[in-house]
Amino acid sequence: MNIKKYTYLIWILLTATASKAQFSGGFYAGIIGSQIDGDATAGFNKGGLNLAATVQYPVSEKFFMSLDLGYAQKGAQTRVSPGFPRALLININYIDIPLCINFYDRQHVGFTAGLQYSRNVGKIRQEIVQLGNSTRVFGIDAFENDDVQVVLGGTYYINNIFNLNVRYGYSLFPIGYGKGSLYKDNAAFNNVLQLRLGIIFGQEFDAPIKNKK
């Protein structure tokens, strides 16, 4: 992982935010629930951390573009419960760079759509344990370092600084290949849910947020 390169990118984002009045920017922190479609398991059981810096630029009264630079822990995991230990764990650390168009409707609510490029920045961890039951766990045989996802989301603006954001992402191209996959060419895809708290500075909406009477 090239720490200097990513630190420099963050510095550029924050400098642009501070030097241009029309820009706003800030940070997100939250949790991830993820799975890998194609590993012969199901469920958003793999928890992870998401941290991101963001810059935003208004393109109209109700729309703004956003560019993030974030760190995300993704992967897959079988459900763990008493008497039923974990059979599969896949942990992948990504740098995420989503470019999105965002809509805000004055009543605290916003919507997001865009594309995200992700790059694996660490050693991929995969643990498979056959538990002796009738269900065989396959995992992923080969991983790709790059991922391109379509992202969709919704945001609740608590005020002009704080917001709660929910985002969903799905791979457009395979992130790996596994013999247990039912997809074409044994492909596997990231399937990710995020819940985040955002702190944004310099954000101005087209009208003050007013509570309904």
Side-chain angles (χ1 to χ4, degrees), residues 149-201:
Q149 291 191 334
V150 58
V151 292
L152 301 171
T155 302
Y156 177 76
Y157 294 95
I158 301 170
N159 52 40
N160 285 5
I161 298 177
F162 294 97
N163 69 76
L164 288 175
N165 173 253
V166 177
R167 183 171 289 183
Y168 174 76
Y170 198 91
S171 299
L172 293 176
F173 308 102
I175 58 99
Y177 302 88
K179 56 181 172 292
S181 174
L182 299 178
Y183 293 92
K184 183 180 178 180
D185 298 325
N186 295 327
F189 304 88
N190 275 325
N191 193 349
V192 182
L193 285 172
Q194 299 177 346
L195 176 62
R196 311 184 300 171
L197 174 66
I199 302 176
I200 308 299
F201 303 100

Coordinates of all heavy atoms in Angstrom, one line a residue, residues 149-201:
Q149 N -17.8 -0.7 -8.9 CA -19.2 -1.0 -8.4 C -20.1 0.2 -8.8 O -19.7 1.3 -8.9 CB -19.2 -1.0 -6.8 CG -18.5 -2.3 -6.3 CD -18.8 -2.4 -4.8 OE1 -19.1 -1.4 -4.1 NE2 -18.8 -3.6 -4.3
V150 N -21.4 -0.2 -9.0 CA -22.4 0.8 -9.0 C -22.9 1.0 -7.6 O -23.0 0.1 -6.8 CB -23.6 0.3 -9.9 CG1 -24.2 -1.0 -9.5 CG2 -24.7 1.4 -10.0
V151 N -23.1 2.3 -7.2 CA -23.5 2.6 -5.8 C -24.8 3.4 -5.9 O -25.0 4.3 -6.7 CB -22.4 3.4 -5.1 CG1 -21.2 2.5 -4.9 CG2 -22.0 4.6 -5.8
L152 N -25.7 3.1 -4.9 CA -27.0 3.8 -4.7 C -27.1 4.0 -3.2 O -26.7 3.2 -2.4 CB -28.1 2.9 -5.2 CG -28.1 2.5 -6.7 CD1 -29.2 1.5 -7.0 CD2 -28.3 3.8 -7.6
G153 N -27.7 5.1 -2.9 CA -27.9 5.4 -1.5 C -28.9 6.5 -1.1 O -29.5 7.1 -2.0
G154 N -29.1 6.6 0.2 CA -30.0 7.6 0.7 C -29.4 8.3 1.9 O -28.6 7.7 2.6
T155 N -29.7 9.6 2.1 CA -29.1 10.4 3.2 C -30.2 11.1 3.9 O -31.1 11.7 3.3 CB -28.1 11.4 2.6 OG1 -27.1 10.7 1.9 CG2 -27.4 12.2 3.8
Y156 N -30.1 11.1 5.2 CA -31.0 11.9 6.1 C -30.1 13.0 6.7 O -29.2 12.8 7.4 CB -31.6 11.1 7.2 CG -32.5 11.9 8.1 CD1 -33.7 12.4 7.7 CD2 -32.0 12.3 9.4 CE1 -34.5 13.2 8.6 CE2 -32.7 13.1 10.2 CZ -34.0 13.5 9.8 OH -34.8 14.3 10.7
Y157 N -30.4 14.3 6.3 CA -29.7 15.4 6.8 C -30.2 15.9 8.1 O -31.3 16.5 8.2 CB -29.7 16.5 5.8 CG -29.0 16.2 4.5 CD1 -29.7 15.7 3.4 CD2 -27.6 16.3 4.3 CE1 -29.1 15.3 2.2 CE2 -27.0 16.0 3.2 CZ -27.7 15.5 2.1 OH -27.1 15.1 0.9
I158 N -29.5 15.6 9.2 CA -29.9 16.1 10.5 C -29.9 17.6 10.6 O -30.8 18.2 11.1 CB -29.0 15.5 11.6 CG1 -29.0 13.9 11.5 CG2 -29.3 15.9 13.0 CD1 -27.9 13.2 12.3
N159 N -28.9 18.2 10.0 CA -28.8 19.6 9.8 C -27.7 19.9 8.7 O -27.4 18.9 8.0 CB -28.4 20.4 11.1 CG -27.2 19.8 11.8 OD1 -26.2 19.4 11.1 ND2 -27.2 19.7 13.1
N160 N -27.2 21.1 8.6 CA -26.3 21.4 7.5 C -24.9 20.8 7.7 O -24.0 20.9 6.8 CB -26.2 22.9 7.3 CG -27.4 23.4 6.5 OD1 -28.4 22.7 6.3 ND2 -27.4 24.7 6.2
I161 N -24.7 20.2 8.9 CA -23.4 19.6 9.2 C -23.4 18.1 9.3 O -22.6 17.4 8.7 CB -22.8 20.2 10.5 CG1 -22.6 21.8 10.3 CG2 -21.5 19.6 10.9 CD1 -22.1 22.4 11.6
F162 N -24.4 17.6 10.0 CA -24.4 16.2 10.3 C -25.5 15.5 9.4 O -26.5 16.0 9.2 CB -24.8 15.9 11.8 CG -23.7 16.4 12.7 CD1 -23.8 17.6 13.3 CD2 -22.6 15.6 13.0 CE1 -22.8 18.0 14.2 CE2 -21.6 16.0 13.8 CZ -21.7 17.3 14.5
N163 N -25.1 14.3 9.0 CA -26.1 13.5 8.2 C -25.9 12.0 8.5 O -24.8 11.6 8.9 CB -26.0 13.8 6.7 CG -24.8 13.3 6.1 OD1 -24.6 12.1 5.8 ND2 -23.9 14.2 5.8
L164 N -26.9 11.2 8.2 CA -26.8 9.7 8.3 C -27.0 9.2 6.8 O -27.9 9.6 6.1 CB -27.9 9.1 9.2 CG -27.7 9.3 10.7 CD1 -29.0 8.8 11.4 CD2 -26.5 8.6 11.2
N165 N -26.1 8.3 6.4 CA -26.0 7.9 5.0 C -26.1 6.4 5.0 O -25.4 5.7 5.7 CB -24.7 8.4 4.4 CG -24.5 7.9 3.0 OD1 -23.6 7.0 2.8 ND2 -25.3 8.3 2.0
V166 N -26.9 5.9 4.1 CA -27.0 4.4 3.8 C -26.6 4.3 2.3 O -27.2 5.0 1.5 CB -28.4 3.8 4.0 CG1 -28.4 2.4 3.6 CG2 -28.8 4.0 5.5
R167 N -25.7 3.3 2.1 CA -25.2 3.2 0.7 C -25.1 1.7 0.4 O -24.7 0.9 1.2 CB -23.9 3.8 0.5 CG -23.4 3.8 -0.9 CD -22.1 4.7 -1.1 NE -22.5 6.1 -1.1 CZ -21.6 7.1 -1.3 NH1 -20.3 6.8 -1.5 NH2 -22.0 8.3 -1.2
Y168 N -25.5 1.3 -0.9 CA -25.5 0.0 -1.4 C -24.6 -0.1 -2.6 O -24.6 0.8 -3.5 CB -26.8 -0.6 -1.7 CG -26.8 -1.9 -2.4 CD1 -26.6 -3.1 -1.6 CD2 -27.0 -2.0 -3.8 CE1 -26.6 -4.3 -2.2 CE2 -27.0 -3.3 -4.4 CZ -26.8 -4.4 -3.6 OH -26.8 -5.6 -4.2
G169 N -23.7 -1.1 -2.7 CA -22.8 -1.2 -3.8 C -22.7 -2.6 -4.3 O -22.8 -3.6 -3.5
Y170 N -22.6 -2.8 -5.6 CA -22.5 -4.1 -6.2 C -21.5 -4.1 -7.4 O -21.6 -3.1 -8.2 CB -23.9 -4.6 -6.7 CG -23.9 -6.1 -7.0 CD1 -24.4 -6.9 -6.0 CD2 -23.6 -6.6 -8.2 CE1 -24.4 -8.3 -6.2 CE2 -23.6 -8.0 -8.4 CZ -24.0 -8.8 -7.4 OH -24.0 -10.2 -7.6
S171 N -20.7 -5.1 -7.5 CA -19.6 -5.1 -8.5 C -20.2 -5.3 -9.9 O -21.1 -6.1 -10.1 CB -18.7 -6.3 -8.2 OG -18.1 -6.2 -7.0
L172 N -19.7 -4.5 -10.8 CA -20.0 -4.6 -12.2 C -19.2 -5.7 -12.9 O -19.7 -6.3 -14.0 CB -19.8 -3.3 -13.0 CG -20.7 -2.1 -12.5 CD1 -20.3 -0.9 -13.3 CD2 -22.2 -2.5 -12.8
F173 N -18.1 -6.0 -12.4 CA -17.2 -7.0 -13.0 C -16.7 -8.0 -11.9 O -16.7 -7.6 -10.7 CB -16.0 -6.4 -13.7 CG -16.3 -5.3 -14.6 CD1 -16.2 -3.9 -14.3 CD2 -16.8 -5.6 -15.9 CE1 -16.6 -2.9 -15.1 CE2 -17.2 -4.6 -16.8 CZ -17.0 -3.3 -16.4
P174 N -16.3 -9.2 -12.2 CA -15.9 -10.1 -11.2 C -14.7 -9.6 -10.4 O -13.8 -9.0 -10.9 CB -15.5 -11.4 -12.0 CG -16.3 -11.3 -13.3 CD -16.3 -9.8 -13.6
I175 N -14.8 -9.9 -9.0 CA -13.7 -9.6 -8.2 C -12.9 -10.9 -7.8 O -11.9 -10.8 -7.1 CB -14.1 -8.9 -6.9 CG1 -15.2 -9.8 -6.1 CG2 -14.8 -7.5 -7.2 CD1 -14.6 -10.5 -5.0
G176 N -13.4 -12.0 -8.4 CA -12.7 -13.2 -8.2 C -13.4 -14.4 -8.9 O -14.5 -14.1 -9.5
Y177 N -12.9 -15.6 -8.7 CA -13.5 -16.8 -9.3 C -13.5 -17.9 -8.3 O -12.4 -18.1 -7.7 CB -12.8 -17.1 -10.6 CG -12.8 -16.0 -11.6 CD1 -11.8 -15.0 -11.6 CD2 -13.8 -15.8 -12.5 CE1 -11.8 -13.9 -12.5 CE2 -13.8 -14.8 -13.4 CZ -12.8 -13.8 -13.4 OH -12.9 -12.8 -14.3
G178 N -14.6 -18.6 -8.2 CA -14.6 -19.8 -7.3 C -15.4 -20.9 -7.9 O -16.4 -20.7 -8.5
K179 N -14.9 -22.1 -7.6 CA -15.6 -23.3 -8.2 C -17.0 -23.5 -7.6 O -17.8 -24.3 -8.2 CB -14.7 -24.5 -8.0 CG -14.3 -24.8 -6.5 CD -13.5 -26.1 -6.5 CE -12.9 -26.3 -5.1 NZ -11.9 -25.3 -4.7
G180 N -17.4 -22.9 -6.5 CA -18.7 -23.0 -6.0 C -19.7 -22.0 -6.6 O -20.9 -22.1 -6.2
S181 N -19.2 -21.1 -7.4 CA -20.1 -20.1 -8.0 C -21.1 -20.6 -9.0 O -20.7 -21.5 -9.8 CB -19.2 -19.0 -8.6 OG -20.0 -18.0 -9.2
L182 N -22.3 -20.1 -9.0 CA -23.3 -20.4 -10.0 C -23.3 -19.4 -11.1 O -24.2 -19.5 -12.0 CB -24.7 -20.5 -9.3 CG -24.8 -21.6 -8.2 CD1 -26.2 -21.5 -7.6 CD2 -24.5 -22.9 -8.8
Y183 N -22.5 -18.4 -11.0 CA -22.4 -17.4 -12.1 C -21.6 -17.8 -13.3 O -20.8 -18.7 -13.1 CB -21.9 -16.0 -11.5 CG -22.8 -15.4 -10.5 CD1 -22.6 -15.7 -9.1 CD2 -23.8 -14.5 -10.9 CE1 -23.4 -15.1 -8.2 CE2 -24.6 -13.9 -9.9 CZ -24.4 -14.2 -8.6 OH -25.2 -13.7 -7.7
K184 N -21.7 -17.1 -14.4 CA -21.0 -17.5 -15.6 C -19.5 -17.4 -15.3 O -19.0 -16.5 -14.7 CB -21.3 -16.5 -16.7 CG -20.7 -16.8 -18.0 CD -21.1 -15.8 -19.1 CE -20.3 -16.1 -20.4 NZ -20.7 -15.1 -21.5
D185 N -18.7 -18.4 -15.8 CA -17.3 -18.5 -15.6 C -16.8 -18.5 -14.2 O -15.7 -18.2 -13.8 CB -16.6 -17.3 -16.3 CG -16.8 -17.2 -17.8 OD1 -16.9 -18.3 -18.4 OD2 -17.0 -16.1 -18.4
N186 N -17.7 -19.0 -13.3 CA -17.5 -19.1 -11.9 C -17.1 -17.8 -11.2 O -16.3 -17.7 -10.3 CB -16.3 -20.1 -11.6 CG -16.7 -21.5 -12.0 OD1 -17.9 -21.9 -11.9 ND2 -15.7 -22.3 -12.5
A187 N -17.7 -16.7 -11.7 CA -17.4 -15.3 -11.2 C -18.0 -15.1 -9.8 O -18.9 -15.7 -9.4 CB -17.9 -14.3 -12.2
A188 N -17.3 -14.1 -9.2 CA -17.8 -13.7 -7.8 C -17.8 -12.2 -7.8 O -17.0 -11.5 -8.5 CB -16.8 -14.2 -6.8
F189 N -18.7 -11.6 -7.0 CA -19.0 -10.2 -7.0 C -19.2 -9.7 -5.6 O -19.8 -10.3 -4.7 CB -20.3 -9.9 -7.8 CG -20.2 -10.4 -9.2 CD1 -20.7 -11.6 -9.5 CD2 -19.8 -9.6 -10.2 CE1 -20.7 -12.1 -10.8 CE2 -19.8 -10.0 -11.5 CZ -20.2 -11.3 -11.8
N190 N -18.6 -8.5 -5.3 CA -18.8 -7.9 -4.0 C -20.3 -7.3 -3.9 O -20.8 -6.8 -4.9 CB -17.9 -6.7 -3.8 CG -16.5 -7.1 -3.3 OD1 -16.5 -8.0 -2.4 ND2 -15.5 -6.4 -3.7
N191 N -20.9 -7.5 -2.7 CA -22.3 -7.1 -2.4 C -22.2 -6.4 -1.1 O -22.0 -7.1 -0.1 CB -23.2 -8.3 -2.5 CG -24.6 -8.0 -2.5 OD1 -25.0 -6.8 -2.3 ND2 -25.5 -9.0 -2.7
V192 N -22.4 -5.1 -1.0 CA -22.0 -4.3 0.2 C -23.1 -3.4 0.6 O -23.7 -2.7 -0.2 CB -20.7 -3.6 -0.1 CG1 -20.3 -2.8 1.2 CG2 -19.6 -4.5 -0.5
L193 N -23.4 -3.3 1.9 CA -24.2 -2.3 2.6 C -23.4 -1.5 3.5 O -22.6 -2.1 4.3 CB -25.4 -3.0 3.3 CG -26.5 -3.6 2.5 CD1 -27.5 -4.4 3.4 CD2 -27.3 -2.4 1.8
Q194 N -23.6 -0.2 3.5 CA -22.9 0.7 4.4 C -23.9 1.6 5.2 O -24.9 2.0 4.7 CB -21.9 1.6 3.7 CG -20.9 0.9 2.9 CD -20.0 1.9 2.1 OE1 -20.3 3.0 1.9 NE2 -18.9 1.4 1.6
L195 N -23.6 1.8 6.5 CA -24.3 2.8 7.3 C -23.2 3.7 7.9 O -22.3 3.3 8.6 CB -25.1 2.1 8.4 CG -25.8 3.0 9.4 CD1 -26.8 3.9 8.7 CD2 -26.4 2.2 10.5
R196 N -23.4 5.0 7.6 CA -22.3 6.0 8.0 C -22.9 7.3 8.6 O -24.0 7.7 8.3 CB -21.5 6.3 6.8 CG -21.0 5.1 6.0 CD -20.1 5.6 4.8 NE -20.8 6.5 3.9 CZ -20.1 7.1 2.9 NH1 -18.8 6.9 2.7 NH2 -20.8 7.9 2.1
L197 N -22.1 7.9 9.5 CA -22.4 9.2 10.0 C -21.4 10.2 9.3 O -20.2 9.9 9.2 CB -22.1 9.3 11.5 CG -22.2 10.7 12.1 CD1 -23.6 11.2 12.0 CD2 -21.7 10.6 13.6
G198 N -22.0 11.2 8.7 CA -21.2 12.2 8.0 C -21.1 13.5 8.7 O -22.1 14.0 9.4
I199 N -20.0 14.2 8.6 CA -19.7 15.5 9.2 C -19.2 16.3 8.0 O -18.1 16.1 7.5 CB -18.7 15.5 10.3 CG1 -19.2 14.6 11.5 CG2 -18.5 16.9 10.8 CD1 -18.2 14.4 12.6
I200 N -20.0 17.3 7.5 CA -19.7 18.1 6.3 C -19.6 19.5 6.7 O -20.5 20.1 7.4 CB -20.8 17.9 5.2 CG1 -21.1 16.4 5.0 CG2 -20.4 18.6 4.0 CD1 -19.9 15.6 4.5
F201 N -18.6 20.2 6.2 CA -18.3 21.6 6.5 C -18.5 22.4 5.2 O -18.1 22.0 4.2 CB -16.9 21.8 7.1 CG -16.6 21.0 8.3 CD1 -15.9 19.8 8.2 CD2 -17.1 21.4 9.5 CE1 -15.7 19.1 9.4 CE2 -16.8 20.7 10.7 CZ -16.1 19.5 10.6

